[in-house]
Amino acid sequence: MKQQIIMFQLNGEPLEIYADPAESLLAILREKLGLYGTKAGCGKGECGACTVLVDDQAQNSCLIPAGKVQGRRVETIENLSRGDVVHPIQEAFVEKGAVQCGFCSPGMIMSAYALLKSSPQPAPEDVKTAISGNLCRCSGYKQIEEAVLCAGDKMKNRES
Amino acid sequence: MIRSITAPDPKQAPASGCFPGIDYDQNPEVWAKAAGRAVYGTDLKMPGMLYGKILRSPCPHARIKKIDTAAAEAMPGVRAVLTGEGLGCKPFGIVVDDELPLAVDRVRYIGDEVACVAAVDLQTAERAVQSIRVEYEELPAVFSPAEALEENAPQLHRDFPGNVAWQRNISRGDSEAAFREADHVVENTFTVPAVHPTYLEPISCVAESDRCDGLVLHTALQSPDSVRAIVAKVLELPLSRVRVIGPVMGGGFGGRVYGNLKLYILSSLLAMKTGWPVKMQLTREEEFTVGRPMIAAELKMKMALRSDGTILAREAEIITDNGAYSAQAPWVSNTISERNDSVYRIPAVKTGVRLVYTNKVPTGQYRAYGNQAANFATESLIDMAAKKLGIDPLDLRLKNCIREGDVSVHGLQINRCALDECLKAAAKKIGWDRKKAGRGYGLSAAIHANGSLIFNKKFRGAAAQARLELDGRVTVFTGEQDYGQGAHAAFARIAAKALGLNPDLITVQSRDTMHSPYSLGALAMRQTTIGGKAVQLAAENLKEKIVQLAVSLSGEPATMENGVVRGSSGMVFDLAAIAYDYHSQTSGLSLLGEGKYVPEKSDYDDSGYGNISVTYSFAAHAAEVEIDRDTGALTVHRIVAAHDSGRIVNQVSARGQVYGGITQGLGMSCYEGYLFETGRVANASLADYKIPTALDIPEIEEIFIENEDPAGPYGAKGLGEIVMVPVLGAIANAVADAAGEWVTDLPITAEKIYQAMAGWECQ
């Protein structure tokens, strides 16, 4: 398709890019913008490694044509930490042993982030459902679930 | 550097068992992974980098009549096109030499490498590959070992008549007499499909040539030194001119011990031809169609027992499906054929195993090396025997299980072993004596080696270095690889314990073959036991040198305790000052501790009898399942995993290994397996090849029986592979307990359970 200007908000900042609107958001993030934190595991929406937030919803960025984010808010893993300050979800993931090879971690953390935005104190079953589109081959998911629940507590404590 | 904001001060944090420091993997790399900043192989990009793509055979078996690359070569942006003709490479392999980088004359499976290109971008490389015209003359193909073993079957490799890639016959004791004298015989045939390790990051490689006066491969490998040696040999380069640098690895599970050799060799050839870095990456589909799954196996097995439950003998005929080329399949076949015999005291064994070529995807290995496939068969058979004899499956196992001080039927020396305790603990926790109505319960036991004494009989151990830095910190150099299983964190703890320092002060380096000691790598569960012991010895050696230096500096006796170097007069020496002093005295050298762990030679003989490892880990799992009697649908409710892996170095990482390994075992038990349609992989995507999701996971309870083993560092030994092994038998037996019949063909699907309950023939 012909390249065109696409405007959207990326990690809190307005952005204008010139790109093929049929190209995937994943390819734009990684290849055009150099944001390699979002991982490419299958390119078909089957593994969840490329999960980002679009208007606060967790989405497989490999399935979203770039043209579809026109005017919307996109958030990637890079937005969760600043320098040496990490998000409570990331902290919980490390402390609970939820990061092994780490390839699923950015997508998994973004799915957890979307869940905790809409449901700050989720039930264990909600956590399972929220991350069920994110495949992890290392962990057996148990420590990831512990981490998400722990992150909810950390975020609550930090607010109070 | 990222640091936890709320984590407790490591100095204050309670230590786990005998190891210092906090109880999770807190390497800077782990923080980087969580922050999305870790650089994996698939993320790599280099100035001037080209993209490589491979043209693959669409035919399962064919003669190549003609390859026309003119259109590809003329395409703007294409920098190199290679075909097998003219490469001049000799056949190579891991165990047997049966592969070429690109096919010459003949292709042997759908996916076989025929040509490759390097171009300025991936799209151009893909278009160029598609423009290559190949004329094939189709040949008759064989899609199963049974077809391949027929008398007039098409022959795949001239050097392997009868399509047998490898075979072995094992005979110990007098099994014929045992079967004659037995009160009972149980027998059955079990089948296991090919399964893929399914690491989440596809394999990639960036090869650089001529920029650094040699060939550099940027690819994440479990055994970089082994791959380096093969690549150097195939390309006829001096070994010192080949260097492997590992980016972060997105999972391995055995699949990245050798990874995808063709990809490394072809990207190297393209880099050498063009003079520019070349990146190649498998697509997820290619991972399934050319990515070396573990071999499928058929195990025909029988067991002889006395009425009191004593096992007298076991016989097996095993056929494994190699696919078109061999990779590690001979070794995996070997493990399948014999490892499980050492779980019990079995006086006589007779086994034949044949690895057979077929026109399908070549095979490799997966976590536990086939031990899990054999566990499914042998542990099912144990329960079949228990049922026939009217003996409780737990009692039958306890009566026969291998114990400390035993020498197994294959000569394995069992010096430390708490298998009986594992069995009792797993049974107790699952509620063996208070089973719930409507639920099925199953047990399974396992043994697994800790590194190999026979993989390379001369090279059995590991080496490490510990360097005192000028700031008083310590860097450990090892060739053992960390890919998220926590090896580096474990090494940091081991070195910290030896030196009396906080693990925070220790950095572990392993990812560059130019700087790391040579190593066999992360395979055969050797990291903690063998690699960790070398790290311990290196750190102890450094400690000795530090103390010696303090003595010579002060002229008085000195000691190093809890990381503090103190002279007899009470004078305290700063580590940085000691390092700096040595550095000045020697005009630039660093104080370096060296450790080599050289296990004793094995008595392993030509018949394959003898000790194969410095020590062994043990495990027993128990499963609780429920079956919907109307549909056969299976719910695995609980798995209890009792492990004797000696002293646990890191509780959080160890739990992660158990949960992850059990989940992979669950996948292999219930979901996973290659499906083929006339040689084509029919489920080559993550949508069709189902691995467990968060919604599929049972309750998992781990029990560590910390039976210290002097063979490993501070009594620790391996855990990462054995965790996957007993899951299969435990689930299979629990299903049989609930359904009344065994499903003997993996994966255990609802359909097969339903058929077993209905008494239908299982496919």
Side-chain angles (χ1 to χ4, degrees), chain B residues 40-193:
Chain B
Y40 294 76
T42 43
D43 299 330
L44 285 182
K45 245 184 193 172
M46 287 184 190
M49 188 175 88
L50 304 174
Y51 292 79
K53 196 72 198 164
I54 297 169
L55 177 70
R56 299 181 178 283
S57 165
C59 310
H61 198 189
R63 197 176 308 286
I64 299 173
K65 289 170 73 180
K66 194 180 158 196
I67 305 180
D68 179 2
T69 59
E73 280 171 81
M75 202 174 278
V78 171
R79 296 291 177 261
V81 181
L82 297 178
T83 60
E85 202 75 49
L87 281 185
C89 294
K90 296 190 185 83
F92 70 93
I94 297 166
V95 187
V96 294
D97 294 335
D98 60 4
E99 297 197 62
L100 286 167
L102 290 170
V104 176
D105 299 337
R106 207 159 144 199
V107 288
R108 294 180 177 85
Y109 80 102
I110 297 171
D112 217 343
E113 290 81 356
V114 174
C116 65
V117 303
V120 291
D121 56 45
L122 188 59
Q123 292 71 24
T124 307
E126 282 168 350
R127 274 208 321 276
V129 154
Q130 283 159 14
S131 77
I132 298 172
R133 296 281 160 258
V134 186
E135 274 180 48
Y136 295 102
E137 178 195 332
E138 289 233 33
L139 299 169
V142 285
F143 299 123
S144 70
E147 284 173 37
L149 290 171
E150 277 174 20
E151 209 165 299
N152 296 314
Q155 300 291 296
L156 266 68
H157 295 271
R158 203 183 330 148
D159 294 341
F160 299 91
N163 291 323
V164 175
W166 178 90
Q167 61 185 322
R168 185 176 172 206
N169 293 303
I170 311 163
S171 183
R172 316 249 182 255
D174 190 347
S175 74
E176 275 172 40
F179 273 91
R180 265 199 317 274
E181 290 156 18
D183 298 322
H184 297 279
V185 171
V186 283
E187 58 188 304
N188 221 307
T189 300
F190 302 89
T191 48
V192 181

Side-chain angles (χ1 to χ4, degrees), chain B residues 295-317:
Chain B
I295 43 175
E298 183 188 89
L299 304 98
K300 196 180 267 188
M301 202 174 266
K302 63 178 179 175
M303 188 184 286
L305 301 103
R306 264 206 294 267
S307 297
D308 67 357
T310 307
I311 299 173
L312 299 174
R314 185 153 73 207
E315 291 188 356
E317 273 304 319

Side-chain angles (χ1 to χ4, degrees), chain A residues 7 14 20-21 28 31 40 46 52 54 56 69 81 89-90 95-96 100 103 113 124 127 133-134 145 147-148 159:
Chain A
M7 286 186 288
D20 178 350
I28 299 287
E31 307 304 329
E46 292 162 359
V52 300
V54 179
D56 292 336
V69 298
S81 60
I89 303 174
Q90 292 167 318
E95 288 173 10
K96 294 293 176 187
Q100 288 192 34
F103 197 76
Y113 181 48
V127 175
N134 295 81
E145 289 161 25
V148 179
E159 277 163 20

Side-chain angles (χ1 to χ4, degrees), chain A residues 30-31 36-37 39 41 46 81 83 86 90-91 95 100-102 135 137-143 146 154, chain B residues 2 4-6 33-34 37 40 42-43 45 196-197 200 284 366 652 655-656 660 663-664 672 686 692 700:
Chain A
R30 286 173 62 86
E31 307 304 329
Y36 288 100
K39 298 299 172 200
E46 292 162 359
S81 60
V86 297
Q90 292 167 318
E91 193 178 273
E95 288 173 10
Q100 288 192 34
C101 90
L135 294 178
R137 191 60 154 170
C138 298
S139 73
Y141 305 100
K142 189 164 168 171
Q143 287 163 313
E146 289 172 14
K154 278 178 186 264
Chain B
I2 309 164
S4 175
I5 301 153
T6 56
K33 287 172 177 176
R37 300 177 198 170
Y40 294 76
T42 43
D43 299 330
K45 245 184 193 172
H196 195 285
L200 209 57
R284 180 57 63 182
Y366 182 23
V652 176
R655 281 172 50 215
T663 300
Q664 291 185 11
E672 296 174 35
L686 289 167
I700 300 172

Side-chain angles (χ1 to χ4, degrees), chain B residues 546-556 558 565 571 573-574 577-582 585:
Chain B
I546 290 170
V547 171
Q548 276 168 18
L549 207 64
V551 170
S552 71
L553 278 173
S554 65
E556 61 181 43
V565 187
M571 191 196 306
F573 298 87
D574 183 44
I578 289 178
Y580 196 79
D581 193 80
Y582 184 77
Q585 270 182 41

Side-chain angles (χ1 to χ4, degrees), chain B residues 355-435:
Chain B
L355 175 67
V356 182
Y357 284 115
T358 56
N359 292 109
K360 293 192 296 192
V361 57
T363 50
Q365 70 173 6
Y366 182 23
R367 189 178 199 162
Y369 233 73
N371 195 351
Q372 73 279 56
N375 180 276
F376 164 65
T378 54
E379 289 294 307
S380 294
L381 202 63
I382 292 270
D383 266 35
M384 290 172 184
K387 189 177 180 182
K388 190 163 184 178
L389 273 63
I391 298 176
D392 184 287
L394 173 63
D395 295 338
L396 186 67
R397 285 181 172 80
L398 288 173
K399 186 178 181 67
N400 292 286
C401 73
I402 202 111
R403 284 159 200 271
E404 217 155 87
D406 284 356
V407 175
S408 85
V409 67
H410 294 297
L412 274 50
Q413 287 165 23
I414 312 300
N415 297 327
R416 298 292 282 159
C417 168
L419 180 57
D420 55 346
E421 278 180 68
C422 290
L423 278 162
K424 286 176 196 161
K428 187 175 176 200
K429 189 133 195 179
I430 202 83
W432 198 254
D433 292 331
R434 41 187 170 83
K435 293 175 183 162

Side-chain angles (χ1 to χ4, degrees), chain B residues 22 39 109 143 156 168 215 225 266 305 313 335 337 342 357 397 412 421 457 514 562 603 611 624 641 654 691:
Chain B
I22 56 177
V39 179
Y109 80 102
F143 299 123
L156 266 68
R168 185 176 172 206
L215 177 73
D225 285 303
L266 293 177
L305 301 103
T335 301
S337 72
S342 296
Y357 284 115
R397 285 181 172 80
L412 274 50
E421 278 180 68
K457 285 182 193 167
M514 184 171 269
N562 299 321
D603 55 350
N611 202 29
E624 180 186 320
I691 67 169

